[in-house]
Amino acid sequence: MRLAPYQYSEIFDEMFAPDGSPRASGKLFVERLQTLTEGSLQQRQKAADISLQNMGITFNVYGHEAGTEKVWPFDLLPRIIDADEWKTIESGLKQRIHALNLFIDDIYNECKIIKDGAVPEELVQTSKTLRSQCKGFHPPQGVWCHITGVDLIRDQDGQIYVLEDNLRCPSGVSYVLENRELMKRTFAPVFQGMSVAPIEDYNEQLLKTLLDCAPEGVNDPTAVVLTPGIYNSAYFEHTFLAQQMGVELVQGPDLVVENGYVFMKTTKGLRRVDVIYRRIDDDFLDPKNFRPDSALGVDHLMDVCRAGRVTLANAPGTGVADDKAVYAYVPDIIKYYLGEEAILPNVPTFLCSDAKQREHVLANLDKLVVKPTNESGGYGILMGPHSSQEERDKTAAAIRSNPREWIAQPMLKLSTVPTLVGDELQPRHVDLRPFVLCGKEIYVMPGGLTRVALREGSMVVNSSQGGGSKDTWILRNGHSQTEINHAATALEKF
Amino acid sequence: MLSRVASSVYWLSRYVERAENVARFIDVNYNLTLGESDTLGDQWAPLVYTTGDQIPYEKRYGAPNRDHVLKFLLFDEKNSNSIISCVSYARENARTIREIIPAVMWEQLNQFYFMVRSAATNPATLDQPQEFCERVRLASHMLVGATEATMSRGEAWHFSRVGRLIERADKTSRIVDVQYYILLPDARDVGSALDVVRWSALLRSASALAMYRRQYGKITPNSVANFLILDTQFPRAMHFCVRKAQESLRCITGSQTGTFINLAEQRMGLLCSNMDYTSVEDIIQQGLHQYIDGFQKQLNSVGKAIQEDFFTSQQSQSQSQSQTVNENSQSQTS
């Protein structure tokens, strides 16, 4: 098929160099695309869309009807990353998660980092996600954050930056796995022999991570996934993970605390639960310890957790480290605990709690992206260059009245990946969310969720706001020539 | 397994079975009324009786006629026993337990749901319901087939089977009750062409015609009643259904033949042994309608006991409120 020539721009494209030739990582893939007959890509895309609907791969959108199901939007063209670059990303992520776990443990216990002045006390004490109920708590294996989704972006200089850490209940990994499955079903001849790192063992790794962190002395631990229920936006993912790990998917009312342990209610009576992969926010986890009006949680769950008789993954209180103002200090946190420079840089960040930085932000609102420190899913963000005076005034007032709650970053130009739009390929902006598991060891899934802004020029990749997704290929080093020939033969029949 | 999950898998099966039965009733009835001018023109009322929803129907539509009955039974979302409602509830139940059912089951049910939804928006479906009813029946069979082929014979499978069989026994009993009484006054011209057509239709409502013929050959009212009520080989016969459901209950509880450990098993055992030692002559003598009435009451009490013994006994007040997906179903048997 014909590939639409890319217009050169200052934006970094993941597949093509500025002169229009494919980058090394995408060369083989582009060659294969070119041999496809006209229209077959569209045909495959259609087949993928039908599969998504039939398989019921959906997400729920809030705000319209309660729990409206939407089919997960998927684009057939992958994002490809070569092995060497991935190696750097992987070690950067491991370093980061290691340090963040040490940080959270320190914050709820000795607070050495504060005493040593590496992170201001004020910053931590004013974090809305700090949970006083967790003071003095040490989770099994010292792991607070078992599952992390780290958002990465590539700016126009080609550098990969960490945009944010999602340490509470990061979503999306099920879609990564389903995207890959779909890719294999619908795009097999192109996929074949590409030497893409496998991700299919994620569920196994997740189960191992959870069981590794079971309370001490439990020989054959029982793990469950705790969901708020079918109206949650990530409900599909909750069922997917429970199913793939072969554990029960429970809702709050299925659990009960008795005699200091957690049990689930079964047709044969109560059965003890040792590890809970919870997908409910801290506030709703335990009405007796957090929000009393929650109907989703389990009374006294936190007491059992503190007594070390059940493991919650992620542990309550991890949110303190994904506060966006704390984020600005992560390079310092890495340096403090590990004595190393951060391998993956942060996006330069201005803290509005600092008077000097705040003045800079207020003076440059039309150039910056301003974010609340404590929202997720892209809510409450001001995109300076695309904003109206009225919006800027409103944000300025909000910053002045509560500076701690705001940060600002320069407007980044997210890199692009060719995406099927009608009959041609057009560049669309992407980010990347790799998933990191931390148990006895740290595991980084090779790849992650590539989210794509489907609207032309848009940089908003959230699925709740019309974003789509792509498969992410991490190439292993070197293709054998036989593999390539074999795949080329297969392709001719396609 | 989790009580909530057991409840969902049980109701999932019941709803799919219910949808299939409604489709079959409509299909057979439609065929029966085609080409008839007046003698069978009022066949649409018994259809509503068979599903047990005559009161809500009359409240909303008044006298039964073809268009209203079809709409009510196929696509009326306010009717919790319409095909579209049953399939939606079944899918909602499946969504809450997606992690424990095989992927093919979920995909099959999901496609079933989309098929019904899209048929509901197509005006041609109501004009020509047969093809749709056929697709509903096939979709249900595919789901049952997928279940049989891919689900481990563990608790979930047994709860699914109990749900399906209890629903099926109930529906077959309704077919016999309603249709038999409508047909009986005409039984004096036994052997006439029209009579055979109607009795065959009754058997076809239960997908029982071919199997009946192999067993009895000629169609007589007593043999039909005997086959649909007491046969132990035909999978839609009431006796067959309760026997197999009892078998599954035993597998769930692990109790020995001739014993019981909870109320559900006790009631199921009573119902089974009653049928084991009854003959069709006893039933006719007692009065067929009275017999079926008693059967339905016993079956309901089994259903209630299952609910209490397995699904809700562990749950406190506030928790049972969250079982919204199942609540609509409590009114199923009137």
Side-chain angles (χ1 to χ4, degrees):
Chain A
M1 69 174 285
R2 180 180 52 88
L3 298 182
Y6 262 32
Q7 295 301 314
Y8 173 76
S9 75
E10 78 272 28
I11 290 169
F12 187 101
D13 188 83
E14 301 280 343
M15 188 93 75
F16 294 100
D19 66 1
S21 65
R23 293 184 189 277
S25 59
K27 197 162 173 292
L28 183 58
F29 179 76
V30 169
E31 278 169 19
R32 289 190 179 179
L33 269 191
Q34 280 163 334
T35 64
L36 292 183
T37 52
E38 216 44 64
S40 76
L41 192 59
Q42 285 82 347
Q43 230 171 47
R44 297 291 99 196
Q45 178 70 49
K46 204 173 255 171
D49 294 343
I50 291 169
S51 280
L52 281 161
Q53 161 136 356
N54 285 343
M55 289 158 79
I57 300 173
T58 56
F59 65 104
N60 295 347
V61 183
Y62 297 127
H64 308 283
E65 252 177 275
T68 309
E69 267 182 284
K70 293 240 171 162
V71 172
W72 179 250
F74 171 71
D75 180 80
L76 215 48
L77 285 111
R79 174 194 189 148
I80 305 173
I81 300 174
D82 75 41
D84 286 340
E85 178 163 45
W86 183 254
K87 215 175 267 173
T88 311
I89 295 174
E90 186 180 12
S91 45
L93 292 172
K94 284 184 172 171
Q95 178 197 48
R96 200 167 172 101
I97 302 313
H98 186 195
L100 284 170
N101 264 305
L102 294 172
F103 171 71
I104 302 168
D105 201 55
D106 189 19
I107 287 300
Y108 287 112
N109 289 282
E110 291 86 6
C111 297
K112 283 186 295 200
I113 196 169
I114 293 173
K115 288 171 193 152
D116 290 340
V119 164
E121 180 167 19
E122 172 85 13
L123 178 84
V124 173
Q125 293 309 328
T126 54
S127 174
K128 275 191 180 162
T129 40
L130 182 77
R131 293 283 170 270
S132 59
Q133 294 88 339
C134 299
K135 275 203 185 113
F137 174 56
H138 283 293
Q141 312 290 340
V143 178
W144 287 76
C145 199
H146 307 75
I147 301 108
T148 311
V150 184
D151 288 347
L152 303 176
I153 53 121
R154 193 199 297 276
D155 197 13
Q156 62 201 83
D157 56 5
Q159 173 68 47
I160 299 257
Y161 292 91
V162 175
L163 185 64
E164 62 183 59
D165 306 288
N166 297 285
L167 303 179
R168 288 175 272 180
C169 300
S171 295
V173 75
S174 58
Y175 300 114
V176 178
L177 295 162
E178 290 287 24
N179 283 355
R180 175 63 55 86
E181 179 73 25
L182 206 60
M183 203 68 171
K184 287 182 169 175
R185 273 200 208 184
T186 53
F187 218 28
V190 173
F191 195 96
Q192 201 164 37
M194 285 296 295
S195 202
V196 175
I199 53 173
E200 288 84 348
D201 64 335
Y202 178 84
N203 301 305
E204 177 77 17
Q205 297 284 354
L206 177 60
L207 182 62
K208 182 176 176 299
T209 301
L210 295 174
L211 298 181
D212 274 355
C213 297
E216 255 173 66
V218 180
N219 279 331
D220 185 14
T222 299
V224 298
V225 175
L226 173 61
T227 175
I230 58 170
Y231 296 116
N232 186 268
S233 64
Y235 181 73
F236 167 78
E237 175 150 310
H238 307 162
T239 66
F240 179 90
L241 293 175
Q243 181 187 48
Q244 296 292 313
M245 290 193 288
V247 305
E248 299 287 357
L249 178 68
V250 301
Q251 299 181 11
D254 296 326
L255 297 179
V256 64
V257 169
E258 272 188 29
N259 305 321
Y261 289 93
V262 182
F263 296 90
M264 55 183 163
K265 299 163 185 169
T266 77
T267 53
K268 294 188 164 71
L270 297 178
R271 184 171 156 210
R272 202 170 123 188
V273 171
D274 306 297
V275 183
I276 300 177
Y277 178 20
R278 52 94 174 206
R279 297 294 298 256
I280 295 182
D281 289 342
D282 287 356
D283 284 345
F284 299 95
L285 213 44
D286 173 359
K288 294 282 187 256
N289 278 283
F290 300 108
R291 273 177 66 155
D293 60 337
S294 166
L296 304 174
V298 186
D299 284 353
H300 301 296
L301 183 58
M302 189 59 205
D303 303 334
V304 185
C305 173
R306 283 182 59 98
R309 288 167 172 174
V310 72
T311 300
L312 295 179
N314 293 337
T318 54
V320 67
D322 82 6
D323 181 296
K324 289 188 182 70
V326 174
Y327 155 90
Y329 283 90
V330 172
D332 300 315
I333 289 172
I334 292 173
K335 183 130 210 196
Y336 180 83
Y337 293 107
L338 306 179
E340 299 166 5
E341 292 300 325
I343 298 168
L344 294 173
N346 269 11
V347 175
T349 302
F350 303 102
L351 295 173
C352 295
S353 51
D354 176 284
K356 212 168 133 199
Q357 295 181 42
R358 177 167 66 244
E359 284 321 307
H360 175 79
V361 171
L362 289 171
N364 292 283
L365 279 179
D366 58 338
K367 298 183 194 74
L368 296 169
V369 178
V370 185
K371 299 175 176 177
T373 54
N374 219 341
E375 293 283 346
S376 55
Y379 293 99
I381 290 182
L382 175 86
M383 297 282 217
H386 305 146
S387 63
S388 66
Q389 186 62 44
E390 194 189 337
E391 287 165 335
R392 289 195 292 274
D393 291 346
K394 223 173 117 191
T395 303
I399 292 173
R400 286 199 182 91
S401 75
N402 197 350
R404 167 62 179 83
E405 293 305 308
W406 296 92
I407 60 153
Q409 294 169 337
M411 183 89 182
L412 302 164
K413 299 256 184 345
L414 271 53
S415 61
T416 56
V417 174
T419 301
L420 188 61
V421 179
D423 280 341
E424 56 180 40
L425 303 186
Q426 292 182 8
R428 287 291 182 270
H429 295 287
V430 293
D431 76 350
L432 175 63
R433 176 179 288 184
F435 290 86
V436 187
L437 298 175
C438 182
K440 283 182 177 155
E441 293 125 30
I442 300 180
Y443 162 87
V444 180
M445 173 194 240
L449 182 62
T450 291
R451 298 186 296 178
V452 50
L454 293 173
R455 261 188 313 124
E456 190 174 0
S458 168
M459 307 232 185
V460 181
V461 295
N462 302 66
S463 52
S464 54
Q465 314 201 12
S469 72
K470 287 170 170 293
D471 194 11
T472 313
W473 292 1
I474 307 302
L475 297 184
R476 290 181 293 192
N477 273 332
H479 307 284
S480 75
Q481 196 55 44
T482 24
E483 265 180 344
I484 294 171
N485 290 344
H486 177 68
T489 324
L491 204 63
E492 280 163 20
K493 298 177 194 148
F494 189 41
Chain B
M1 69 190 301
L2 288 174
S3 298
R4 175 179 53 81
V5 171
S7 165
S8 290
V9 80
Y10 170 89
W11 282 110
L12 186 169
S13 283
R14 283 200 74 155
Y15 280 125
V16 170
E17 181 69 24
R18 194 172 295 176
E20 185 195 326
N21 279 292
V22 173
R24 193 185 299 102
F25 297 166
I26 292 173
D27 188 30
V28 170
N29 203 66
Y30 193 82
N31 267 313
L32 201 57
T33 55
L34 278 181
E36 291 295 333
S37 50
D38 44 357
T39 35
L40 291 172
D42 57 353
Q43 278 295 303
W44 294 98
L47 206 54
V48 179
Y49 281 99
T50 308
T51 58
D53 290 319
Q54 60 274 26
I55 295 164
Y57 176 87
E58 276 160 17
K59 266 192 196 146
R60 306 210 2 247
Y61 295 93
N65 64 41
R66 177 187 174 281
D67 287 359
H68 284 162
V69 169
L70 280 179
K71 196 176 156 237
F72 180 73
L73 294 178
L74 292 177
F75 301 131
D76 187 341
E77 298 195 52
K78 284 189 194 141
N79 170 14
S80 59
N81 293 323
S82 67
I83 289 177
I84 203 164
S85 299
C86 287
V87 175
S88 302
Y89 295 148
R91 181 170 178 272
E92 281 299 273
N93 273 302
R95 272 185 79 196
T96 68
I97 54 166
R98 218 168 137 167
E99 73 287 357
I100 69 122
I101 55 177
V104 286
M105 261 181 86
W106 160 254
E107 286 178 28
Q108 179 54 39
L109 185 52
N110 201 40
Q111 289 179 43
F112 190 175
Y113 170 79
F114 286 119
M115 184 275 282
V116 173
R117 282 234 91 87
S118 101
T121 61
N122 181 359
T125 314
L126 286 174
D127 291 338
Q128 292 284 327
Q130 292 136 302
E131 196 223 329
F132 172 71
C133 289
E134 169 84 5
R135 279 157 70 194
V136 169
R137 195 169 52 74
L138 287 179
S140 165
H141 286 180
M142 297 263 284
L143 183 72
V144 174
T147 310
E148 296 302 292
T150 59
M151 200 174 197
S152 295
R153 267 40 174 180
E155 257 189 272
W157 185 80
H158 285 295
F159 274 115
S160 145
R161 193 163 79 141
V162 171
R164 183 162 66 242
L165 290 171
I166 288 184
E167 180 68 24
R168 189 179 290 171
D170 175 71
K171 288 297 169 282
T172 301
S173 78
R174 283 167 187 282
I175 294 174
V176 176
D177 191 25
V178 175
Q179 302 288 356
Y180 194 90
Y181 264 81
I182 288 160
L183 291 175
L184 215 50
D186 292 332
R188 52 185 170 267
D189 40 30
V190 172
S192 77
L194 181 60
D195 192 60
V196 168
V197 167
R198 293 176 186 180
W199 284 98
S200 317
L202 189 162
L203 285 164
R204 287 217 325 265
S205 295
S207 291
L209 183 58
M211 293 297 131
Y212 173 89
R213 282 244 188 257
R214 290 190 67 82
Q215 185 105 335
Y216 294 98
K218 279 177 69 178
I219 292 177
T220 70
N222 276 16
S223 300
V224 171
N226 193 27
F227 188 68
L228 291 179
I229 299 172
L230 292 178
D231 198 86
T232 53
Q233 310 285 315
F234 179 62
R236 311 196 71 85
M238 291 149 61
H239 194 187
F240 177 96
C241 291
V242 293
R243 270 197 174 185
K244 294 293 171 183
Q246 182 188 35
E247 199 177 281
S248 272
L249 271 189
R250 255 198 216 111
C251 291
I252 292 165
T253 59
S255 61
Q256 299 295 310
T257 314
T259 68
F260 63 91
I261 61 159
N262 61 24
L263 195 60
E265 271 194 297
Q266 187 195 20
R267 289 180 176 172
M268 185 67 101
L270 282 170
L271 179 58
C272 274
S273 58
N274 170 305
M275 296 193 94
D276 287 345
Y277 299 104
T278 299
S279 70
V280 72
E281 288 75 23
D282 296 339
I283 293 174
I284 301 290
Q285 189 160 17
Q286 176 190 349
L288 186 122
H289 179 70
Q290 284 72 12
Y291 178 80
I292 289 189
D293 207 37
F295 173 85
Q296 287 175 354
K297 282 201 178 101
Q298 275 188 283
L299 194 65
N300 274 353
S301 77
V302 170
K304 283 202 187 88
I306 288 174
Q307 196 81 23
E308 280 156 23
D309 287 339
F310 298 106
F311 306 155
T312 54
S313 62
Q314 313 282 345
Q315 319 229 339
S316 68
Q317 285 303 59
S318 65
Q319 284 148 3
S320 52
Q321 282 168 15
S322 65
Q323 301 204 314
T324 49
V325 180
N326 302 331
E327 266 170 14
N328 294 297
S329 51
Q330 308 305 325
S331 61
Q332 33 83 42
T333 37
S334 48

